[in-house]
């Protein structure tokens, strides 16, 4: 399963961006989605940097497996998740 978050509509609303990112990560974990596509857009690159800083926070970083920057479209990121098949838990998520 793949989820998608397009940040174009809230690009200049910092707290809404953080909430949207946290919500999509929580949704991915709840639904056991293995991939989340985040579209910060191309623009100046400031929004993409903000997203990467958010994802690099210790408490967030432990929730996903890895981040991939799209080599063909630099206005897009992918967050990969891994789930333990025996427990159904995501990486670092102890529920």
């Amino acid at each position: 399963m793949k989820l998608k978050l397009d940040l174009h509509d809230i690009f200049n609303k910092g707290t809404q961006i953080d909430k949207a990112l946290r919500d999509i990560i929580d949704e991915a974990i709840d639904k056991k989605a293995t991939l989340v596509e985040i579209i910060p857009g191309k623009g100046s690159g400031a929004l993409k940097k903000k997203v990467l800083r958010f994802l690099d926070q210790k408490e967030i970083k432990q929730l996903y497996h890895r981040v991939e920057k799209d080599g063909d479209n630099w206005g897009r990121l992918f967050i990969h998740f891994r789930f333990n098949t025996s427990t159904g838990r995501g990486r670092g998520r102890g529920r």
Side-chain angles (χ1 to χ4, degrees):
M1 172 188 284
K2 174 181 154 184
L3 300 174
K4 183 176 179 178
L5 175 63
D6 189 336
L7 296 173
H8 284 102
D9 293 338
I10 58 171
F11 72 93
N12 61 351
K13 299 175 180 137
T15 57
Q16 287 183 18
I17 292 167
D18 288 354
K19 182 179 179 336
L21 289 167
R22 184 59 204 228
D23 288 349
I24 199 77
I25 288 171
D26 287 345
E27 182 180 354
I29 291 167
D30 290 342
K31 293 182 177 179
K32 294 183 177 43
T34 56
L35 183 67
V36 171
E37 177 183 353
I38 299 178
I39 303 172
K42 294 181 181 175
S44 68
L47 182 54
K48 182 176 179 180
K49 288 177 188 172
K50 178 175 179 41
V51 170
L52 290 170
R53 279 193 306 270
F54 177 88
L55 294 172
D56 201 38
Q57 295 176 85
K58 184 179 180 182
E59 67 275 8
I60 300 298
K61 199 172 192 173
Q62 67 185 358
L63 301 175
Y64 63 87
H65 174 60
R66 68 183 175 95
V67 173
E68 174 187 3
K69 297 174 186 174
D70 188 338
D72 297 327
N73 179 352
W74 58 274
R76 182 166 65 171
L77 300 166
F78 298 103
I79 305 173
H80 296 267
F81 292 83
R82 262 194 206 159
F83 296 94
N84 183 323
T85 54
S86 63
T87 65
R89 292 187 187 148
R91 175 183 169 197
R93 181 83 170 196
R95 308 202 226 182

